Structures are given as structure tokens and as C-alpha cells.
Amino acid sequence: MMKLSKRLLELRGSISQAELARKAGVPQSAISEIEAGKRKPRIDTIQKLALALGVSVSELLDENEEPKAV
């Protein structure tokens, strides 16, 4: 499985960390730490990020899924 950090960065595309944080309702520092591989997010954070990115949790966690929204 691709690291969540790389998948999150891939799905985030041109959206800034600050914008994703606002949409997801999580601190921007949390997104930064997840993308840097310094933090393993709780499931509720993963759910919020997936919703904000317009993808399912499985799409966020699965490297074989093609992103449906960027």
C-alpha cells in the first residue's frame, strides 16, 4: 500500500494544505505532519480528509484506486 502521506499529497493536487485543512476541519499542521510521514492520523481525521477531497476513505487509503476528484 502506498503511504498515506504520498496518497494525500497526490489527491490534494493544487489545493493548499491550508485550504484542505479548512475544508476538512483539521489543523493545517496535522496535514503537514501526515504528508511528511510524521503523524498517523486517527480514522476520524482520515474520514474528514476523504470527505474534503471528494473521495471515499478506501480511495484515500488505496494506491490502486484512480482519484475521482483532485
Side-chain angles (χ1 to χ4, degrees):
M1 176 192 274
M2 180 188 285
K3 287 185 176 182
L4 175 61
S5 59
K6 290 181 182 177
R7 185 68 173 160
L8 180 58
L9 186 58
E10 177 183 90
L11 289 170
R12 185 166 62 82
S14 63
I15 300 170
S16 70
Q17 287 182 349
E19 180 65 13
L20 179 57
R22 186 190 64 73
K23 287 181 177 183
V26 300
Q28 184 270 327
S29 60
I31 294 171
S32 176
E33 290 174 358
I34 293 166
E35 287 184 352
K38 295 180 181 179
R39 173 187 275 194
K40 292 186 180 185
R42 298 183 330 204
I43 188 64
D44 63 316
T45 302
I46 292 171
Q47 291 170 328
K48 290 176 182 179
L49 291 170
L51 182 64
L53 290 166
V55 299
S56 68
V57 170
S58 64
E59 288 175 291
L60 179 56
L61 298 177
D62 187 357
E63 68 185 71
N64 296 318
E65 289 280 339
E66 287 295 320
K68 292 187 174 75
V70 174

